[in-house]
PDB file of all heavy atoms in Angstrom:
ATOM      1  N   THR G 302      -4.761   2.750   6.854  1.00  0.00           N
ATOM      2  CA  THR G 302      -5.972   1.972   6.643  1.00  0.00           C
ATOM      3  C   THR G 302      -5.625   0.498   6.816  1.00  0.00           C
ATOM      4  O   THR G 302      -4.474   0.143   7.049  1.00  0.00           O
ATOM      5  CB  THR G 302      -6.554   2.225   5.240  1.00  0.00           C
ATOM      6  OG1 THR G 302      -7.827   1.574   5.134  1.00  0.00           O
ATOM      7  CG2 THR G 302      -5.639   1.690   4.152  1.00  0.00           C
ATOM      8  N   THR G 303      -6.626  -0.371   6.711  1.00  0.00           N
ATOM      9  CA  THR G 303      -6.391  -1.807   6.803  1.00  0.00           C
ATOM     10  C   THR G 303      -6.579  -2.433   5.432  1.00  0.00           C
ATOM     11  O   THR G 303      -7.306  -1.907   4.596  1.00  0.00           O
ATOM     12  CB  THR G 303      -7.355  -2.469   7.805  1.00  0.00           C
ATOM     13  OG1 THR G 303      -8.703  -2.204   7.410  1.00  0.00           O
ATOM     14  CG2 THR G 303      -7.139  -1.919   9.200  1.00  0.00           C
ATOM     15  N   LEU G 304      -5.941  -3.569   5.217  1.00  0.00           N
ATOM     16  CA  LEU G 304      -6.062  -4.242   3.928  1.00  0.00           C
ATOM     17  C   LEU G 304      -7.404  -4.938   3.792  1.00  0.00           C
ATOM     18  O   LEU G 304      -7.956  -5.047   2.702  1.00  0.00           O
ATOM     19  CB  LEU G 304      -4.936  -5.267   3.765  1.00  0.00           C
ATOM     20  CG  LEU G 304      -3.514  -4.709   3.776  1.00  0.00           C
ATOM     21  CD1 LEU G 304      -2.507  -5.844   3.657  1.00  0.00           C
ATOM     22  CD2 LEU G 304      -3.320  -3.719   2.639  1.00  0.00           C
ATOM     23  N   TYR G 305      -7.930  -5.413   4.909  1.00  0.00           N
ATOM     24  CA  TYR G 305      -9.185  -6.157   4.889  1.00  0.00           C
ATOM     25  C   TYR G 305     -10.116  -5.618   5.972  1.00  0.00           C
ATOM     26  O   TYR G 305      -9.699  -4.865   6.855  1.00  0.00           O
ATOM     27  CB  TYR G 305      -8.933  -7.649   5.153  1.00  0.00           C
ATOM     28  CG  TYR G 305      -7.881  -8.274   4.273  1.00  0.00           C
ATOM     29  CD1 TYR G 305      -6.560  -8.387   4.698  1.00  0.00           C
ATOM     30  CD2 TYR G 305      -8.209  -8.758   3.014  1.00  0.00           C
ATOM     31  CE1 TYR G 305      -5.592  -8.974   3.891  1.00  0.00           C
ATOM     32  CE2 TYR G 305      -7.249  -9.336   2.197  1.00  0.00           C
ATOM     33  CZ  TYR G 305      -5.950  -9.446   2.645  1.00  0.00           C
ATOM     34  OH  TYR G 305      -4.996 -10.018   1.841  1.00  0.00           O
ATOM     35  N   SER G 306     -11.364  -6.042   5.929  1.00  0.00           N
ATOM     36  CA  SER G 306     -12.282  -5.752   7.023  1.00  0.00           C
ATOM     37  C   SER G 306     -12.009  -6.750   8.148  1.00  0.00           C
ATOM     38  O   SER G 306     -11.359  -7.778   7.954  1.00  0.00           O
ATOM     39  CB  SER G 306     -13.735  -5.879   6.543  1.00  0.00           C
ATOM     40  OG  SER G 306     -14.001  -7.213   6.119  1.00  0.00           O
ATOM     41  N   GLY G 307     -12.500  -6.433   9.341  1.00  0.00           N
ATOM     42  CA  GLY G 307     -12.328  -7.350  10.458  1.00  0.00           C
ATOM     43  C   GLY G 307     -10.991  -7.267  11.160  1.00  0.00           C
ATOM     44  O   GLY G 307     -10.552  -8.240  11.773  1.00  0.00           O
ATOM     45  N   ALA G 308     -10.316  -6.115  11.097  1.00  0.00           N
ATOM     46  CA  ALA G 308      -9.013  -5.960  11.759  1.00  0.00           C
ATOM     47  C   ALA G 308      -9.180  -5.986  13.277  1.00  0.00           C
ATOM     48  O   ALA G 308     -10.119  -5.409  13.820  1.00  0.00           O
ATOM     49  CB  ALA G 308      -8.345  -4.669  11.321  1.00  0.00           C
ATOM     50  N   LYS G 309      -8.245  -6.648  13.963  1.00  0.00           N
ATOM     51  CA  LYS G 309      -8.340  -6.823  15.404  1.00  0.00           C
ATOM     52  C   LYS G 309      -7.389  -5.920  16.196  1.00  0.00           C
ATOM     53  O   LYS G 309      -7.529  -5.805  17.411  1.00  0.00           O
ATOM     54  CB  LYS G 309      -8.035  -8.280  15.764  1.00  0.00           C
ATOM     55  CG  LYS G 309      -8.968  -9.278  15.114  1.00  0.00           C
ATOM     56  CD  LYS G 309      -8.549 -10.708  15.444  1.00  0.00           C
ATOM     57  CE  LYS G 309      -9.442 -11.716  14.745  1.00  0.00           C
ATOM     58  NZ  LYS G 309      -9.019 -13.124  15.027  1.00  0.00           N
ATOM     59  N   ASP G 310      -6.410  -5.324  15.512  1.00  0.00           N
ATOM     60  CA  ASP G 310      -5.403  -4.573  16.260  1.00  0.00           C
ATOM     61  C   ASP G 310      -4.896  -3.410  15.425  1.00  0.00           C
ATOM     62  O   ASP G 310      -4.907  -3.465  14.187  1.00  0.00           O
ATOM     63  CB  ASP G 310      -4.237  -5.495  16.636  1.00  0.00           C
ATOM     64  CG  ASP G 310      -3.289  -4.836  17.621  1.00  0.00           C
ATOM     65  OD1 ASP G 310      -3.598  -4.796  18.814  1.00  0.00           O
ATOM     66  OD2 ASP G 310      -2.238  -4.329  17.173  1.00  0.00           O
ATOM     67  N   ILE G 311      -4.430  -2.368  16.096  1.00  0.00           N
ATOM     68  CA  ILE G 311      -3.923  -1.181  15.402  1.00  0.00           C
ATOM     69  C   ILE G 311      -2.708  -1.510  14.543  1.00  0.00           C
ATOM     70  O   ILE G 311      -2.420  -0.818  13.564  1.00  0.00           O
ATOM     71  CB  ILE G 311      -3.580  -0.070  16.430  1.00  0.00           C
ATOM     72  CG1 ILE G 311      -3.312   1.258  15.708  1.00  0.00           C
ATOM     73  CG2 ILE G 311      -2.398  -0.491  17.302  1.00  0.00           C
ATOM     74  CD1 ILE G 311      -3.145   2.421  16.656  1.00  0.00           C
ATOM     75  N   SER G 312      -2.001  -2.589  14.875  1.00  0.00           N
ATOM     76  CA  SER G 312      -0.831  -2.986  14.094  1.00  0.00           C
ATOM     77  C   SER G 312      -1.212  -3.398  12.672  1.00  0.00           C
ATOM     78  O   SER G 312      -0.355  -3.458  11.793  1.00  0.00           O
ATOM     79  CB  SER G 312      -0.101  -4.140  14.787  1.00  0.00           C
ATOM     80  OG  SER G 312      -0.924  -5.293  14.863  1.00  0.00           O
ATOM     81  N   GLN G 313      -2.488  -3.693  12.435  1.00  0.00           N
ATOM     82  CA  GLN G 313      -2.955  -4.063  11.109  1.00  0.00           C
ATOM     83  C   GLN G 313      -3.249  -2.849  10.228  1.00  0.00           C
ATOM     84  O   GLN G 313      -3.569  -2.995   9.051  1.00  0.00           O
ATOM     85  CB  GLN G 313      -4.215  -4.940  11.213  1.00  0.00           C
ATOM     86  CG  GLN G 313      -3.963  -6.299  11.823  1.00  0.00           C
ATOM     87  CD  GLN G 313      -5.232  -7.114  11.979  1.00  0.00           C
ATOM     88  OE1 GLN G 313      -5.844  -7.147  13.034  1.00  0.00           O
ATOM     89  NE2 GLN G 313      -5.648  -7.783  10.905  1.00  0.00           N
ATOM     90  N   CYS G 314      -3.113  -1.655  10.793  1.00  0.00           N
ATOM     91  CA  CYS G 314      -3.290  -0.421  10.015  1.00  0.00           C
ATOM     92  C   CYS G 314      -1.992  -0.152   9.249  1.00  0.00           C
ATOM     93  O   CYS G 314      -0.919  -0.080   9.843  1.00  0.00           O
ATOM     94  CB  CYS G 314      -3.601   0.757  10.936  1.00  0.00           C
ATOM     95  SG  CYS G 314      -5.178   0.613  11.817  1.00  0.00           S
ATOM     96  N   THR G 315      -2.079  -0.023   7.936  1.00  0.00           N
ATOM     97  CA  THR G 315      -0.902   0.201   7.100  1.00  0.00           C
ATOM     98  C   THR G 315      -0.879   1.623   6.557  1.00  0.00           C
ATOM     99  O   THR G 315      -1.919   2.248   6.357  1.00  0.00           O
ATOM    100  CB  THR G 315      -0.877  -0.782   5.924  1.00  0.00           C
ATOM    101  OG1 THR G 315      -2.047  -0.584   5.118  1.00  0.00           O
ATOM    102  CG2 THR G 315      -0.869  -2.216   6.413  1.00  0.00           C
ATOM    103  N   ASP G 316       0.321   2.106   6.299  1.00  0.00           N
ATOM    104  CA  ASP G 316       0.499   3.477   5.824  1.00  0.00           C
ATOM    105  C   ASP G 316       0.108   3.599   4.363  1.00  0.00           C
ATOM    106  O   ASP G 316       0.412   2.743   3.546  1.00  0.00           O
ATOM    107  CB  ASP G 316       1.966   3.885   5.995  1.00  0.00           C
ATOM    108  CG  ASP G 316       2.124   5.389   6.169  1.00  0.00           C
ATOM    109  OD1 ASP G 316       1.230   6.125   5.718  1.00  0.00           O
ATOM    110  OD2 ASP G 316       3.128   5.815   6.752  1.00  0.00           O
ATOM    111  N   THR G 317      -0.572   4.677   4.017  1.00  0.00           N
ATOM    112  CA  THR G 317      -0.960   4.922   2.631  1.00  0.00           C
ATOM    113  C   THR G 317      -0.234   6.125   2.035  1.00  0.00           C
ATOM    114  O   THR G 317      -0.496   6.509   0.907  1.00  0.00           O
ATOM    115  CB  THR G 317      -2.474   5.174   2.524  1.00  0.00           C
ATOM    116  OG1 THR G 317      -2.826   6.330   3.313  1.00  0.00           O
ATOM    117  CG2 THR G 317      -3.263   3.983   3.025  1.00  0.00           C
ATOM    118  N   VAL G 318       0.685   6.705   2.810  1.00  0.00           N
ATOM    119  CA  VAL G 318       1.430   7.864   2.306  1.00  0.00           C
ATOM    120  C   VAL G 318       2.359   7.419   1.182  1.00  0.00           C
ATOM    121  O   VAL G 318       3.089   6.435   1.309  1.00  0.00           O
ATOM    122  CB  VAL G 318       2.242   8.523   3.436  1.00  0.00           C
ATOM    123  CG1 VAL G 318       3.107   9.642   2.890  1.00  0.00           C
ATOM    124  CG2 VAL G 318       1.310   9.054   4.502  1.00  0.00           C
ATOM    125  N   CYS G 319       2.345   8.115   0.067  1.00  0.00           N
ATOM    126  CA  CYS G 319       3.199   7.761  -1.066  1.00  0.00           C
ATOM    127  C   CYS G 319       3.335   8.975  -1.979  1.00  0.00           C
ATOM    128  O   CYS G 319       2.647   9.970  -1.811  1.00  0.00           O
ATOM    129  CB  CYS G 319       2.599   6.572  -1.843  1.00  0.00           C
ATOM    130  SG  CYS G 319       0.907   6.855  -2.420  1.00  0.00           S
ATOM    131  N   GLY G 320       4.231   8.856  -2.950  1.00  0.00           N
ATOM    132  CA  GLY G 320       4.426   9.941  -3.904  1.00  0.00           C
ATOM    133  C   GLY G 320       5.458  10.955  -3.441  1.00  0.00           C
ATOM    134  O   GLY G 320       6.057  10.840  -2.369  1.00  0.00           O
ATOM    135  N   GLY G 321       5.716  11.962  -4.286  1.00  0.00           N
ATOM    136  CA  GLY G 321       6.657  13.022  -3.956  1.00  0.00           C
ATOM    137  C   GLY G 321       7.518  13.409  -5.147  1.00  0.00           C
ATOM    138  O   GLY G 321       7.420  12.830  -6.235  1.00  0.00           O
ATOM    139  N   ASN G 322       8.347  14.408  -4.957  1.00  0.00           N
ATOM    140  CA  ASN G 322       9.279  14.872  -5.988  1.00  0.00           C
ATOM    141  C   ASN G 322      10.654  14.264  -5.730  1.00  0.00           C
ATOM    142  O   ASN G 322      11.209  14.393  -4.629  1.00  0.00           O
ATOM    143  CB  ASN G 322       9.368  16.398  -5.971  1.00  0.00           C
ATOM    144  CG  ASN G 322       8.053  17.050  -6.352  1.00  0.00           C
ATOM    145  OD1 ASN G 322       7.355  16.583  -7.246  1.00  0.00           O
ATOM    146  ND2 ASN G 322       7.699  18.132  -5.663  1.00  0.00           N
ATOM    147  N   LEU G 323      11.211  13.594  -6.731  1.00  0.00           N
ATOM    148  CA  LEU G 323      12.484  12.895  -6.596  1.00  0.00           C
ATOM    149  C   LEU G 323      13.533  13.543  -7.490  1.00  0.00           C
ATOM    150  O   LEU G 323      13.332  13.658  -8.697  1.00  0.00           O
ATOM    151  CB  LEU G 323      12.313  11.422  -6.966  1.00  0.00           C
ATOM    152  CG  LEU G 323      11.177  10.685  -6.239  1.00  0.00           C
ATOM    153  CD1 LEU G 323      11.018   9.272  -6.778  1.00  0.00           C
ATOM    154  CD2 LEU G 323      11.414  10.666  -4.738  1.00  0.00           C
ATOM    155  N   THR G 324      14.637  13.956  -6.902  1.00  0.00           N
ATOM    156  CA  THR G 324      15.687  14.642  -7.662  1.00  0.00           C
ATOM    157  C   THR G 324      17.057  13.995  -7.498  1.00  0.00           C
ATOM    158  O   THR G 324      18.035  14.497  -8.030  1.00  0.00           O
ATOM    159  CB  THR G 324      15.773  16.118  -7.222  1.00  0.00           C
ATOM    160  OG1 THR G 324      16.035  16.177  -5.813  1.00  0.00           O
ATOM    161  CG2 THR G 324      14.484  16.861  -7.508  1.00  0.00           C
ATOM    162  N   SER G 325      17.144  12.891  -6.781  1.00  0.00           N
ATOM    163  CA  SER G 325      18.439  12.247  -6.554  1.00  0.00           C
ATOM    164  C   SER G 325      18.906  11.501  -7.810  1.00  0.00           C
ATOM    165  O   SER G 325      18.119  11.220  -8.713  1.00  0.00           O
ATOM    166  CB  SER G 325      18.354  11.269  -5.373  1.00  0.00           C
ATOM    167  OG  SER G 325      17.375  10.282  -5.620  1.00  0.00           O
ATOM    168  N   MET G 326      20.184  11.149  -7.855  1.00  0.00           N
ATOM    169  CA  MET G 326      20.763  10.466  -9.019  1.00  0.00           C
ATOM    170  C   MET G 326      20.219   9.052  -9.184  1.00  0.00           C
ATOM    171  O   MET G 326      20.115   8.539 -10.287  1.00  0.00           O
ATOM    172  CB  MET G 326      22.284  10.420  -8.879  1.00  0.00           C
ATOM    173  CG  MET G 326      22.931  11.788  -8.775  1.00  0.00           C
ATOM    174  SD  MET G 326      23.091  12.608 -10.370  1.00  0.00           S
ATOM    175  CE  MET G 326      24.554  11.823 -10.996  1.00  0.00           C
ATOM    176  N   THR G 327      19.885   8.419  -8.069  1.00  0.00           N
ATOM    177  CA  THR G 327      19.294   7.080  -8.095  1.00  0.00           C
ATOM    178  C   THR G 327      18.176   7.033  -7.057  1.00  0.00           C
ATOM    179  O   THR G 327      18.138   7.849  -6.128  1.00  0.00           O
ATOM    180  CB  THR G 327      20.319   5.991  -7.768  1.00  0.00           C
ATOM    181  OG1 THR G 327      20.808   6.194  -6.431  1.00  0.00           O
ATOM    182  CG2 THR G 327      21.481   6.025  -8.736  1.00  0.00           C
ATOM    183  N   GLY G 328      17.276   6.074  -7.190  1.00  0.00           N
ATOM    184  CA  GLY G 328      16.193   5.978  -6.218  1.00  0.00           C
ATOM    185  C   GLY G 328      15.329   4.758  -6.445  1.00  0.00           C
ATOM    186  O   GLY G 328      15.530   3.987  -7.378  1.00  0.00           O
ATOM    187  N   VAL G 329      14.348   4.601  -5.560  1.00  0.00           N
ATOM    188  CA  VAL G 329      13.426   3.468  -5.614  1.00  0.00           C
ATOM    189  C   VAL G 329      12.014   3.974  -5.364  1.00  0.00           C
ATOM    190  O   VAL G 329      11.797   4.836  -4.506  1.00  0.00           O
ATOM    191  CB  VAL G 329      13.786   2.399  -4.557  1.00  0.00           C
ATOM    192  CG1 VAL G 329      12.764   1.267  -4.568  1.00  0.00           C
ATOM    193  CG2 VAL G 329      15.183   1.848  -4.800  1.00  0.00           C
ATOM    194  N   ILE G 330      11.059   3.446  -6.114  1.00  0.00           N
ATOM    195  CA  ILE G 330       9.642   3.748  -5.936  1.00  0.00           C
ATOM    196  C   ILE G 330       8.927   2.432  -5.645  1.00  0.00           C
ATOM    197  O   ILE G 330       9.129   1.451  -6.348  1.00  0.00           O
ATOM    198  CB  ILE G 330       9.040   4.384  -7.208  1.00  0.00           C
ATOM    199  CG1 ILE G 330       9.680   5.751  -7.480  1.00  0.00           C
ATOM    200  CG2 ILE G 330       7.535   4.522  -7.085  1.00  0.00           C
ATOM    201  CD1 ILE G 330       9.252   6.339  -8.818  1.00  0.00           C
ATOM    202  N   THR G 331       8.081   2.422  -4.627  1.00  0.00           N
ATOM    203  CA  THR G 331       7.326   1.212  -4.321  1.00  0.00           C
ATOM    204  C   THR G 331       5.852   1.546  -4.077  1.00  0.00           C
ATOM    205  O   THR G 331       5.516   2.663  -3.679  1.00  0.00           O
ATOM    206  CB  THR G 331       7.857   0.501  -3.059  1.00  0.00           C
ATOM    207  OG1 THR G 331       7.645   1.334  -1.917  1.00  0.00           O
ATOM    208  CG2 THR G 331       9.326   0.182  -3.196  1.00  0.00           C
ATOM    209  N   SER G 332       5.004   0.563  -4.310  1.00  0.00           N
ATOM    210  CA  SER G 332       3.604   0.704  -3.931  1.00  0.00           C
ATOM    211  C   SER G 332       3.527   0.682  -2.408  1.00  0.00           C
ATOM    212  O   SER G 332       4.368   0.061  -1.753  1.00  0.00           O
ATOM    213  CB  SER G 332       2.764  -0.427  -4.535  1.00  0.00           C
ATOM    214  OG  SER G 332       3.332  -1.691  -4.235  1.00  0.00           O
ATOM    215  N   PRO G 333       2.556   1.369  -1.806  1.00  0.00           N
ATOM    216  CA  PRO G 333       2.450   1.384  -0.345  1.00  0.00           C
ATOM    217  C   PRO G 333       2.377  -0.026   0.248  1.00  0.00           C
ATOM    218  O   PRO G 333       1.724  -0.907  -0.293  1.00  0.00           O
ATOM    219  CB  PRO G 333       1.142   2.151  -0.102  1.00  0.00           C
ATOM    220  CG  PRO G 333       0.984   3.010  -1.304  1.00  0.00           C
ATOM    221  CD  PRO G 333       1.520   2.198  -2.445  1.00  0.00           C
TER     222      PRO G 333
END
């Protein structure tokens, strides 16, 4: 999706995929 209205290019489309099952000893979680 885009962060704002009025996007001019496909490069402005950002990924919204997030979440999952984490089982490693260490890791990082971030907002999309």
Side-chain angles (χ1 to χ4, degrees):
T302 187
T303 58
L304 298 178
Y305 308 95
S306 62
K309 301 176 183 178
D310 190 79
I311 191 173
S312 63
Q313 293 177 264
C314 295
T315 61
D316 207 336
T317 60
V318 175
C319 56
N322 295 321
L323 308 175
T324 58
S325 59
M326 301 281 279
T327 62
V329 176
I330 295 173
T331 65
S332 52

